[in-house]
Amino acid sequence: MAKKKRYLTATMPYGYVKRIGPTTDRFTHYWRIVAELANGKTEVFWGHTRSLGDATRLKAAAGDGARMRGWKSYVFEIVEVVEEPVGE
């Protein structure tokens, strides 16, 4: 039997909405890093994980990444995704 496709929606506390899909993967959390670079520009990195634990481990590794890349500062955000069936 084929897996059902659905959309995953992540809504940040300040209103930004990221819609992922359609997908059959079992992602549960969306993460995003907003990094301020040494030259004043901003870069955004994002992804999704299958558990809060996976996302939390990425948050811990972000500090190492910031030091290696020379970021002035960064914000790491994690939110739970909400599933929506395709076609609704």
Side-chain angles (χ1 to χ4, degrees), residues 2-60:
K3 292 181 181 180
K4 269 188 125 171
K5 288 193 175 191
R6 69 231 186 285
Y7 286 100
L8 303 174
T9 303
T11 304
M12 305 309 267
Y14 46 85
Y16 175 79
V17 176
K18 176 69 176 178
R19 194 167 191 207
I20 304 160
T23 183
T24 58
D25 284 325
R26 294 284 173 200
F27 297 119
T28 60
H29 289 80
Y30 167 81
W31 60 268
R32 183 170 91 154
I33 299 173
V34 179
E36 183 183 353
L37 308 179
N39 62 7
K41 294 184 179 183
T42 303
E43 281 194 22
V44 178
F45 306 89
W46 64 272
H48 24 71
T49 61
R50 291 187 171 87
S51 73
L52 178 58
D54 289 345
T56 304
R57 281 187 284 282
L58 289 170
K59 183 176 183 176

